[in-house]
Amino acid sequence: MNARGKSEKASPRLWIALDVPDEEAAEYWMRTFPQHRHYKIGMELFYQIGPQRMRAWIEEKELDIFLDLKLHDIPRTVAHAIARLDKLGVRLTTIHLAGGVEMCEAAKEASSTMDIVGVSVLTSLSEEDLARIGINDPLPEHIRRLVALAQQAELQGVVVSGQELQEVTAIWPGARFVVPGIRRQQEPSQDQKRVITASQAMLWGATDLVIGRTLLHARNPRGVYQEFQRLLPEGEILS
Ligand code: C5P
């Protein structure tokens, strides 16, 4: 612990989720947090701006991009898609573990520079939602099975909700644990069903936090950003 009672453990990376419709809106947020370097781009923005604009941001603004497209297709198609993304300078990307071990292995094989993490179960799904698509195992068991598959394929880690974090970090020490569904105390969870606060996620070993609406929909985004910054060990820059 340091003087402010915070853990000396490596600080998690904080990815601001640019869930916005276009380039103009994305650049507005980059200007709002000028020192921030880590952004997550999802389907909404990527399908609008395309790979060239994203690559230009990486090169001109020196951004680290987490491209969250959650690929899920036959192994060959996913491998070829990963090979294309690998050339764009993306740092981190996602595939769905439900695609199976062969798909995960093919993705891993196709990437030379990017880290790949496997999405276990979307944070918007509950055990009841899974039962409705025919997955009747308890949620923790289903997640354990998917995490084992990610390990077998030698991915760099997994995307899990805060609820599974403690258990999963114990099973796979040293992996990347990307946690979306971050909410501030007493904040509504919106469409997310399995949410957690940033400080709890950090305590339980998250290596990467995805900060979306809790920041971009806040009344005072700069104030909320500073709130997150204060959670980090002294001297760390939230970037
Ligand atoms: O705004 P909110 O904090 O709910 O945003 C969560 C972000 O994390 C979204 O960009 C969403 O696509 C992403 N995500 C998620 N659940 C996963 C993986 C990614 O909510 N399992």
Side-chain angles (χ1 to χ4, degrees):
M1 296 285 216
N2 65 19
R4 281 157 71 188
K6 291 174 178 173
S7 165
E8 298 286 5
K9 266 203 313 194
S11 197
R13 213 158 265 136
L14 190 137
W15 301 94
I16 295 180
L18 289 173
D19 292 328
V20 295
D22 54 31
E23 185 177 332
E24 202 185 359
E27 291 191 344
Y28 166 81
W29 289 113
M30 291 173 195
R31 285 194 304 277
T32 304
F33 310 115
Q35 77 275 42
H36 201 82
R37 291 280 162 272
H38 292 83
Y39 288 95
K40 182 175 91 73
I41 294 181
M43 292 185 233
E44 179 185 4
L45 184 59
F46 187 72
Y47 294 154
Q48 172 63 25
I49 62 168
Q52 278 73 29
R53 168 68 7 224
M54 186 184 69
R55 189 178 191 158
W57 280 340
I58 294 172
E59 287 169 3
E60 291 159 17
K61 298 180 186 290
E62 298 182 4
L63 299 183
D64 278 359
I65 295 294
F66 168 9
L67 184 61
D68 183 21
L69 298 182
K70 301 186 179 71
L71 302 180
H72 188 175
D73 208 315
I74 61 170
R76 180 180 184 277
T77 303
V78 168
H80 287 194
I82 290 283
R84 298 284 83 75
L85 299 181
D86 204 43
K87 290 194 167 47
L88 297 175
V90 168
R91 291 287 175 139
L92 178 66
T93 198
T94 46
I95 60 176
H96 265 293
L97 294 171
V101 74
E102 270 183 48
M103 188 203 82
C104 295
E105 283 168 349
K108 175 72 197 308
E109 179 80 24
S111 168
S112 54
T113 59
M114 276 185 311
D115 274 10
I116 302 179
V117 288
V119 176
S120 56
V121 173
L122 294 171
T123 37
S124 56
L125 296 177
S126 65
E127 209 164 77
E128 292 75 51
D129 296 320
L130 289 184
R132 293 181 72 185
I133 54 168
I135 297 166
N136 293 304
D137 289 336
L139 187 59
E141 197 179 319
H142 183 57
I143 287 178
R144 269 198 298 278
R145 193 177 307 115
L146 290 171
V147 171
L149 194 143
Q151 276 183 287
Q152 194 187 329
E154 297 182 9
L155 301 185
Q156 275 78 24
V158 283
V159 183
V160 288
S161 89
Q163 279 178 23
E164 297 86 54
L165 193 56
Q166 244 185 327
E167 182 179 354
V168 169
T169 49
I171 309 175
W172 195 4
R176 276 181 99 149
F177 300 102
V178 180
V179 180
I182 301 290
R183 291 292 178 272
R184 287 154 67 230
Q185 289 285 359
Q186 266 129 46
E187 194 182 14
S189 58
Q190 290 136 324
D191 55 346
Q192 300 281 27
K193 306 243 170 90
R194 292 159 27 248
V195 297
I196 190 169
T197 62
S199 49
Q200 190 63 64
M202 285 165 64
L203 201 66
W204 284 347
T207 60
D208 300 84
L209 303 181
V210 175
I211 309 293
R213 285 167 289 184
T214 193
L215 179 66
L216 303 196
H217 290 194
R219 267 198 219 128
N220 173 12
R222 285 198 185 89
V224 174
Y225 183 83
Q226 279 161 10
E227 229 177 77
F228 283 117
Q229 194 163 31
R230 283 194 289 273
L231 295 174
L232 298 176
E234 204 155 9
E236 290 276 349
I237 297 170
L238 184 67
S239 59

